[in-house]
Amino acid sequence: MSRKPIIAGNWKMYKLTGEALATVIALKPLVTNANHCEIVVAPPFTSIKLVADKLEGSNILLAAQNVSGETKQGAHTGEICGDMLYDIGCTHVIVGHSERRQYYGETDGQINRKIRAALRFTLRPIFCVGETLADRDESRAEAVVRDQIDQGLSELTAESLLRIIIAYEPVWAIGTGRTATPETAQTMHAFIRQSLGRKFGAQASETVRILYGGSVNPGNIAELMRESDIDGALVGGASLEAASFARIVHYDR
Ligand code: PGA
């Protein structure tokens, strides 16, 4: 089964509008020939529309970093509805990032609502899962991830799974410079695919893309991408600079 890789950049809470624009202006020409993968950037909310205008007609897709679980506009101060993201040109949205789980108390139930709300507005969720260091040290990494998958994807059909992208991001590898080895990542990716297979059937699980995230950089992307169940990367720190993100996109060179 060949799955088109995705290289996605998560800018987190970085970049004023001018910096966001400068980054995509620099990035566009560096990746125009990259047809081997889908390229996604996720700027902070304040820059999405500006970046969208700049990226029109390019091969770079746009993600938001969060979405409301509500499916109708309404009195929800501080929230952003999926239709608003779609309206300004987003095609993807990151859901359930570990920073949102850790610092903002997002629960699996809320994440499930957000995934369903995103799908409702034809946004593709990039659904993040991953264990903490304590989970791994105490040998429950797989159980934790399986639980996140089961609850996050609860009540979804195999058909909707095809619109979802999974990102395996071990919490201990995020922003720490400590990448999972390709073998560790591959083992978990295979486990995730197997769990999805049990839940949604082999066809859907073989088609869904599973990205790795956690200290991905231009120096380690190629070996990660050689693993059979790693279908791309969700990149934080190394996506902030156009040249370094472009080198990750061109991991095959
Ligand atoms: P990092 O972040 O690449 O800086 O480790 C990845 C992420 O949090 O998505």
Side-chain angles (χ1 to χ4, degrees):
M1 167 72 63
S2 96
R3 295 176 288 265
K4 189 163 191 183
I6 301 175
I7 302 291
N10 171 12
W11 293 0
K12 308 193 180 187
M13 196 174 74
Y14 291 104
K15 295 187 190 292
L16 303 179
T17 51
E19 298 164 316
L21 269 186
T23 306
V24 288
I25 289 169
L27 180 63
K28 259 192 348 182
L30 298 178
V31 299
T32 37
N33 300 325
N35 302 317
H36 61 287
C37 67
E38 291 172 14
I39 307 166
V40 182
V41 293
F45 284 124
T46 47
S47 303
I48 294 177
K49 175 72 173 108
L50 279 171
V51 167
D53 292 345
K54 193 51 76 181
L55 290 182
E56 228 183 278
S58 82
N59 59 338
I60 304 172
L61 301 166
L62 259 186
Q65 298 174 19
N66 192 12
V67 64
S68 170
E70 300 295 331
T71 50
K72 273 209 306 264
Q73 294 183 14
H76 297 283
T77 304
E79 291 291 296
I80 308 274
C81 192
D83 62 351
M84 299 170 177
L85 297 177
Y86 179 79
D87 179 50
I88 58 168
C90 287
T91 49
H92 295 66
V93 59
I94 298 172
V95 178
H97 191 279
S98 66
E99 286 151 14
R100 298 221 49 91
R101 294 176 188 261
Q102 256 186 305
Y103 309 138
Y104 301 97
E106 259 184 34
T107 63
D108 292 311
Q110 287 168 331
I111 291 164
N112 176 255
R113 283 189 79 219
K114 289 182 180 205
I115 290 174
R116 289 190 285 149
L119 291 170
R120 168 93 178 258
F121 296 111
T122 71
L123 298 165
R124 287 177 175 271
I126 301 176
F127 168 39
C128 304
V129 296
E131 81 284 0
T132 64
L133 189 56
D135 294 331
R136 181 155 286 269
D137 286 346
E138 289 158 32
S139 308
R140 52 168 189 263
E142 292 191 344
V144 165
V145 169
R146 186 181 45 219
D147 217 47
Q148 290 171 341
I149 296 262
D150 280 348
Q151 296 194 46
L153 300 182
S154 150
E155 286 172 48
L156 291 175
T157 59
E159 201 182 9
S160 48
L161 181 69
L162 296 176
R163 298 203 41 85
I164 295 173
I165 296 148
I166 311 278
Y168 168 58
E169 299 205 306
V171 178
W172 46 271
I174 295 178
T176 58
R178 186 181 158 193
T179 329
T181 63
E183 299 72 36
T184 303
Q186 164 60 28
T187 302
M188 185 62 90
H189 281 228
F191 172 78
I192 292 171
R193 202 177 299 286
Q194 211 177 61
S195 309
L196 292 172
R198 266 198 295 272
K199 214 171 149 65
F200 297 100
Q203 206 208 335
S205 76
E206 285 301 316
T207 308
V208 70
R209 268 101 35 111
I210 307 177
L211 316 185
Y212 168 77
S215 297
V216 171
N217 61 46
N220 59 27
I221 181 70
E223 56 177 10
L224 287 161
M225 292 303 294
R226 274 197 285 273
E227 298 294 337
S228 58
D229 286 294
I230 300 183
D231 308 315
L234 180 56
V235 187
S239 75
L240 293 173
E241 212 223 315
S244 118
F245 188 58
R247 284 172 62 203
I248 296 174
V249 167
H250 291 293
Y251 63 87
D252 57 332
R253 305 247 168 106

